[in-house]
Structures are given as structure tokens and as C-alpha cells.
Amino acid sequence: MTKPIKGRTGMIEFRGVNKWFGALNVLKDITLSVEPREVVVVCGPSGSGKSTLIRCINGLETIRDGDLVVDGQRLGDPATNMTRLRTEIGFVFQSFNLYPHKTALENVTLAPIHVRKIPRAEAEKAGRELLAKVGLADKVNAYPAQLSGGQQQRVAIARCLGMRPKIMLFDEPTSALDPEMISEVLDVMVAVAEEGMTMMVVTHEMGFARKVAQRVVFMDAGAIVESGTPDEFFSHPKTDRSRAFLSKILRH
Amino acid sequence: MIWQQLQSLAGSYPLALRGLGMTVMLSLISLVLGTLIGFGLGILRTGGNRLISSVIGAWVDLIRGTPFLVQIFLIFFILPELGIELDAFTAGIIALTNLAACFICEIVVAGIRSVPTGQVEAALASGLSRWHRMRQVVLPQAMRIVLPPLVGQYVLLIKDSSVVSAIGLTDLTRVGWLVVQRVPNGLLVFFLVGLGYFIVCYPLIMLARRLEQRMGAAHGEVQL
């Protein structure tokens, strides 16, 4: 049965969302609204539920109760076509998850050709442009195994952009990278943010957060503990837990 | 005396060729059908519907856990009791196809399960339909795992086809039985029968070995 959504909703709207893994309450009463064109950085200690939070948005995880409304559609509602909704949501994984049997260009054009039904020639032209945009014009025909981690992650971002999504989600996009490759990926993410993409980014890259995020959300033990502008959060953290967390990641 | 036997054997040449033809025909038809059905079953088995999955699982276990000779007798002698008349050739094809499909199903399932979940998640996240996820992302990667044992399974199938001689099909093995009644030298006759099977199987054995080496080396570029 379709329940009406009360009031206006943001591009991504969590209302009292709970999720359990067995007896473990991994998301506790999450309420959060992300406006169109807003960039929200989610941080917190490992196991705090950050990845689970954004994986719920495109249905890689399901929620037990509460409402999660994305682009005006309630998840878990029989009227919501999850496959179609996913075409509007780009997802960048920590471990890239490029298709190893396809070239960089084929990775980028696969969904546009088969989901958006864009003619191959047109999709390939757009794909080349996207790869050029992320600085990989010369790697169009390379297979993922022939690319560095940073290059693979940039292909993965181009793969999402190829679908012209309304929302981009990033699940620790730089944590699997060697330090010298982190900035090339962050630069691409900054460019995407500056074009007005709605983004939720799970990351500990505080430089990125300060540069482009309107808001930082701090999670601990499955709950949102604190939320504020990057400046407020980094300069004047309000809770003991966020202070303890920040002292750990900023020490180095 | 051995000379006489060889001469007599040479006279059985057309019969032997017919038997070999029957063996190849039976194997080829059930190999093609078994592959198609086996892939279908394997995909359904991993498809997430628990009922379908367990029904297929139970059937596969049943077939793997009973002798092929018994299966072929059941199909040839029991089905007519239920009003389904089958000639020996059709019964042989059904039994062999079913056997091949069950073994190939298990191979395909193992291949599909070897594909990392991240691959499926990436395909899901980009909105690919079930069919495209399978066809474009999962199966091409599963083929790396599937191909070598699949070809190995074809070899087993060709050899298992000898059991159909039990329901009167004149395949290579039955030709052996017929010939040995005229030429009383079982060792010689069945040596030649074995050689016939080996000639058909050996190229496949070599192919399986080459595939195994190539799969180990390449980084996932298998075209379906």
C-alpha cells in the first residue's frame, strides 16, 4: 500500500530510519535531509554505520523502519521502481568495482547503452569526453588491471557520470588508494561538486570537506551525533565523541 | 588365427562407423541441449528465489546421487507405463541431456558464485536489469571458472553415452558387443572400441587443458 509522503522532502530524506543486522542496531533513528546541489560529508569511526547509511539510499541495503525518500520516491514502496531510481544515483565504491573484462570506455558506456538505450556511437563519444574530463583520455582502451588505483577510481566516477545522475554517493572513495593518488581523485570529486551535483561523501578527507561540503555529519555507533558546517565541526566540535574522533584523524 | 580375426573385423568397418556416428550424434545433441538447460538451471539456482533454487538443488542431487544406468532404465521402461511412449534414441537423449544439465548446472553455479559481490553491486547501482547484469557483468567473469570444467564435463558425457547401449541403441559400445559375437577376441574388439572413444575425447581433453592455462593467465577477457 502506498503511504503518502508528508510535507516537502529534500533530494534525500531520512525520517526516523532504523536498520538492524541481526541483533545489531546499525542505523539508529536517522533523520537527515539533503537538499538538491548540497554536498554532505559523512564521517565517523569505522563501524559507525556511515557506509550502511549511504548504501541504503540506492537500495544496496534495505531499511527496517522509518521513511527514506529519494528524489520524491519512497524506498520499499511498491510504486517505486528501484532499478529506475538507481539510474539517477551514481555510486562510487571504496574498491572501485570496475568490470575487469571491459575497457575503461566500455565500463563507462555499458549502462548508458543498455539502460538509457543511447546509440553506441553517441554513448562512446560521450564516454570519451567523460574520460578526458577525469584526465584519462589516453586510457580509453585500457583494462582496469592496467590502471593504477587512482586511475581506476576516476574511471569509476566517469562511469557514474555517464548516466547523468541527479545524486552521487561516494563510499570512502580514497581509502583504498596510495597516498600519492588521493588528490587526483579528490580533484575530480571537487569538479563534480562544483558543477552542482547533489553529493553524499563518506570520507575522512577533511581538506575535501572544508573545500566543498556545506555540511559535515558525524556518526558514531549507528546514530548521527553531530551535524554542522565544516567550519563549525572542525573548529568547534560540540560532543566528546566528535572531539575524540577529530583528535585521532587530525593528529597526523 | 589373429589374421583371420582382423580380416573379419575389417568387414565390420561400416557397422563400427555407424556406431561411432551414433555415439557422436547422441553426445553432440545432449551436449548442446544439456549446456543450454544447465546454464538456465544454474542462473535460476542463483537467482534468489528460494523455492526454485531448492527444487533445482534437490533434482541435481537426486541425479548426481543415482547411477546413470538406473536413470536410463527408469526413463525407458517406466515412462511407457505412465503412457509416455519413447523410442530408444529419444530416451537416450533425454537421459543424457538431463545428466549433462545437472552437472553443468553445478559448474555454472560455482562460476557465478565466484564473481565478487562488488561486481554485482556495481551493476545494480548503475541500474542494469537482471538480464544485463547476468549477460554483461556476471557471466563473462564466471566463464573463466566455468569453461575448463565444462569442457571436462563434455568428455565425461561422451563416455557416459556408452550406457545407452543397454537400451538397445547401436552406439560404439553396442557395436563392440555385436562384433565380439562374431570375432571371439574381446580384448582386441574392446581395445578398438576404447580407441574410438579416445579419438573423440582426446581433442576435448587438450582443449580443456589449454583453456585452463589461458584462464590462469588472462585478466578476465572472456568473450561469450
Side-chain angles (χ1 to χ4, degrees), chain A residues 62-97:
Chain A
T62 52
I63 60 173
R64 183 150 112 190
D65 53 46
D67 286 327
L68 174 50
V69 182
V70 179
D71 193 22
Q73 298 173 70
R74 186 205 310 275
L75 268 66
D77 195 313
T80 298
N81 180 337
M82 203 58 222
T83 304
R84 187 168 315 153
L85 183 57
R86 282 186 178 122
T87 65
E88 305 296 342
I89 308 170
F91 197 102
V92 176
F93 296 87
Q94 180 177 355
S95 48
F96 332 130
N97 294 355

Side-chain angles (χ1 to χ4, degrees), chain A residues 55 58 60 83 86-87 89 91 93 97-102 110-111 114-115 117 143 145-146 159 163, chain B residues 117-129 132-133 136-138 140-141 219-223:
Chain A
R55 284 167 61 87
N58 72 344
L60 289 180
T83 304
R86 282 186 178 122
T87 65
I89 308 170
F91 197 102
F93 296 87
N97 294 355
L98 291 181
Y99 309 128
H101 58 299
K102 294 193 182 289
L110 183 72
H114 293 292
V115 179
K117 309 290 179 201
Y143 284 92
Q146 298 165 322
R159 175 170 70 175
M163 291 295 281
Chain B
T117 37
Q119 290 293 310
V120 182
E121 288 188 346
L124 267 175
S126 60
L128 286 169
S129 66
H132 283 128
R133 289 201 299 273
Q136 299 291 338
V137 178
V138 176
Q141 295 183 63
H219 46 264
E221 293 160 62
V222 182
Q223 292 300 322

Side-chain angles (χ1 to χ4, degrees), chain A:
Chain A
M1 213 175 64
T2 305
K3 216 169 33 161
I5 308 160
K6 284 194 196 112
R8 72 168 289 282
T9 56
M11 187 65 118
I12 303 166
E13 182 106 5
F14 286 86
R15 287 183 185 169
V17 168
N18 275 286
K19 179 176 177 62
W20 276 264
F21 283 138
L24 190 67
N25 194 187
V26 286
L27 291 180
K28 289 179 197 154
D29 265 329
I30 301 289
T31 295
L32 173 72
S33 180
V34 180
E35 295 302 314
R37 306 171 73 86
E38 194 180 9
V39 178
V40 174
V41 161
V42 184
C43 62
S46 74
S48 59
K50 325 175 285 278
S51 293
T52 309
L53 180 80
I54 67 163
R55 284 167 61 87
C56 287
I57 297 168
N58 72 344
L60 289 180
E61 306 283 352
T62 52
I63 60 173
R64 183 150 112 190
D65 53 46
D67 286 327
L68 174 50
V69 182
V70 179
D71 193 22
Q73 298 173 70
R74 186 205 310 275
L75 268 66
D77 195 313
T80 298
N81 180 337
M82 203 58 222
T83 304
R84 187 168 315 153
L85 183 57
R86 282 186 178 122
T87 65
E88 305 296 342
I89 308 170
F91 197 102
V92 176
F93 296 87
Q94 180 177 355
S95 48
F96 332 130
N97 294 355
L98 291 181
Y99 309 128
H101 58 299
K102 294 193 182 289
T103 64
L105 184 62
E106 287 165 349
N107 265 278
V108 176
T109 58
L110 183 72
I113 290 171
H114 293 292
V115 179
R116 292 263 194 252
K117 309 290 179 201
I118 294 168
R120 183 172 294 271
E122 204 179 305
E124 285 182 354
K125 186 167 168 287
R128 281 174 203 281
E129 282 166 13
L130 278 169
L131 285 170
K133 195 170 137 183
V134 300
L136 294 170
D138 55 333
K139 299 291 183 190
V140 167
N141 294 316
Y143 284 92
Q146 298 165 322
L147 299 173
S148 72
Q151 291 170 331
Q152 288 191 53
Q153 195 60 299
R154 284 184 282 153
V155 173
I157 294 171
R159 175 170 70 175
C160 292
L161 292 173
M163 291 295 281
R164 306 192 178 287
K166 293 181 180 164
I167 299 168
M168 289 269 285
L169 307 171
F170 295 80
D171 187 7
E172 308 209 26
T174 56
S175 352
L177 297 176
D178 291 335
E180 74 269 23
M181 291 171 184
I182 290 175
S183 68
E184 64 188 51
V185 171
L186 290 178
D187 287 347
V188 170
M189 289 167 59
V190 169
V192 173
E194 283 171 351
E195 282 174 18
M197 181 69 72
T198 308
M199 287 167 56
M200 276 185 85
V201 185
V202 174
T203 186
H204 293 160
E205 293 297 334
M206 295 308 146
F208 173 81
R210 278 185 185 278
K211 203 164 178 180
V212 295
Q214 277 89 47
R215 201 152 30 123
V216 175
V217 168
F218 173 72
M219 288 183 74
D220 192 19
I224 293 179
V225 176
E226 193 171 334
S227 161
T229 66
D231 215 38
E232 286 167 3
F233 179 71
F234 294 124
S235 312
H236 312 286
K238 282 177 267 187
T239 62
D240 288 343
R241 280 190 282 180
S242 54
R243 272 192 289 272
F245 172 74
L246 282 172
S247 76
K248 268 180 210 144
I249 63 161
L250 296 178
R251 190 180 297 154
H252 306 288

